[in-house]
Amino acid sequence: MAASHPCISAITTTTYIPSSSSKSPSSWKVLGTKWPKRGCCRAMVQTGAPAAYAKEMERLSAKESLLLAFKDAGGFEALVSGKATEYQRIDVSERITILERLNPTPRPTTSPFLEGRWNFEWFGPGTPGLFAARFMFEYFPSSLANLSKMDVFIKDGNAKITANMRLLNSIESKVILSTKLSVEGPLRMKEEYVEGVLVSPTIIEDRVPEQLKGALGQAVNALQQLPVPIRDAVASGLKVPLSGSFQRLFMISYLDEEILIIRSTSGMPEVLTRLDASPSSLGESSPEYVS
């Protein structure tokens, strides 16, 4: 039967006929020998070339799947308010694990991709972000207070975490935490909290409920009566030194130009997405740790 593939036909047209004087295979005559066509072996070798492309497509698909899982779970608001269901949480956790296996950055702690502004999309139980959110909702019902978003800016070994809050849907405020980052290994980093700042709230007057406008006006007038140094201190925000009070170790389990995943010592994940443009060039990253 003739072979359909050109490579197979070129190889299988060789015919072996035994010699009449010997039964030894070594003395058989060779008739009709053909060499494989040029380019045949090259095509066979190239079948392994798409493997890297397939892995990259798998990684991009895993990223898209994770982002869709965040959306299906209700996003950041549902997470911090406790509205995300157990099924949604385990679904997100599964997709996080799948993406971590495809991490394209072997030394994320010294990668230039780490620097920039990142938005918190997800954090697990026991992480500082969820602890702060749950603490706020214990004292302020979700109808009165809302943690709208959290982001972090990383640059030159320092991080500034900003939590945006809204009270009564009319008063906006921020809590800013300044931390210092140090490299402990190719995947591991240490974060030391330096300072916390409660930014003076901004009032959205057209959203203030009518029953609160009188009390709010009295508070503003009382603030104007304060001595100038105190008034300026209140306007610039309440600063709380945190040096030596809190630190933590974490591991970067995934990093590319768009997504950052870190895990605490208890294994709880935090997933962040980039807010600003990714670095234009990678460059060489030098090790900053002692193994």
Side-chain angles (χ1 to χ4, degrees):
M1 180 176 62
S4 59
H5 195 282
C7 292
I8 298 176
S9 62
I11 294 173
T12 57
T13 51
T14 299
T15 305
Y16 297 89
I17 301 177
S19 171
S20 59
S21 60
S22 174
K23 295 183 180 181
S24 173
S26 61
S27 62
W28 287 4
K29 294 180 181 180
V30 182
L31 300 177
T33 302
K34 290 185 180 181
W35 294 101
K37 296 179 181 180
R38 293 188 62 183
C40 174
C41 292
R42 186 183 303 114
M44 295 176 67
V45 172
Q46 288 179 345
T47 58
Y53 175 79
K55 185 175 182 180
E56 178 64 8
M57 290 301 99
E58 182 185 6
R59 185 178 71 87
L60 295 177
S61 176
K63 285 174 58 174
E64 183 69 18
S65 177
L66 178 59
L67 295 176
L68 288 175
F70 290 152
K71 185 177 180 180
D72 292 342
F76 182 84
E77 182 179 354
L79 175 66
V80 299
S81 61
K83 295 179 181 179
T85 66
E86 288 297 317
Y87 175 81
Q88 290 168 335
R89 290 178 181 276
I90 195 65
D91 182 51
V92 169
S93 297
E94 181 182 11
R95 295 169 195 260
I96 290 173
T97 303
I98 292 173
L99 184 59
E100 286 174 323
R101 292 191 297 103
L102 303 169
N103 178 32
T105 310
R107 300 170 62 88
T109 56
T110 54
S111 169
F113 277 152
L114 183 60
E115 295 195 341
R117 188 173 298 278
W118 299 87
N119 185 56
F120 282 87
E121 297 283 355
W122 194 266
F123 31 68
T127 59
L130 192 58
F131 176 80
R134 292 292 172 81
F135 177 82
M136 184 184 76
F137 284 116
E138 283 182 4
Y139 293 92
F140 300 96
S142 58
S143 59
L144 300 179
N146 178 35
L147 182 62
S148 57
K149 69 173 184 176
M150 286 178 60
D151 61 72
V152 57
F153 180 71
I154 302 174
K155 181 70 174 179
D156 297 331
N158 297 289
K160 185 172 289 186
I161 305 167
T162 303
N164 296 270
M165 299 179 297
R166 178 173 292 181
L167 302 175
L168 300 173
N169 200 35
S170 58
I171 302 175
E172 294 183 343
S173 184
K174 296 180 180 180
V175 176
I176 300 176
L177 295 175
S178 298
T179 70
K180 180 181 179 181
L181 302 174
S182 56
V183 176
E184 297 274 312
L187 304 178
R188 188 174 67 249
M189 300 192 79
K190 181 170 70 173
E191 183 176 34
E192 300 175 87
Y193 285 64
V194 177
E195 183 183 65
V197 178
L198 178 60
V199 179
S200 182
T202 300
I203 300 173
I204 308 174
E205 295 184 2
D206 58 345
R207 295 183 181 178
V208 176
E210 289 294 332
Q211 61 270 29
L212 295 179
K213 286 186 176 180
L216 185 59
Q218 293 178 5
V220 172
N221 290 333
L223 181 62
Q224 295 299 324
Q225 302 300 320
L226 294 174
V228 174
I230 298 177
R231 192 168 66 231
D232 290 344
V234 172
S236 61
L238 176 63
K239 297 183 179 181
V240 180
L242 299 174
S243 296
S245 60
F246 183 75
Q247 67 179 27
R248 67 166 182 157
L249 293 171
F250 64 86
M251 179 186 70
I252 301 177
S253 57
Y254 182 92
L255 174 65
D256 65 15
E257 68 279 7
E258 296 176 325
I259 292 182
L260 167 64
I261 303 177
I262 68 177
R263 287 190 178 269
S264 65
T265 52
S266 60
M268 294 296 104
E270 297 177 31
V271 184
L272 302 90
T273 55
R274 187 179 295 278
L275 287 174
D276 55 8
S278 61
S280 58
S281 60
L282 285 175
E284 293 294 330
S285 57
S286 59
E288 301 175 11
Y289 69 96
V290 177
S291 60

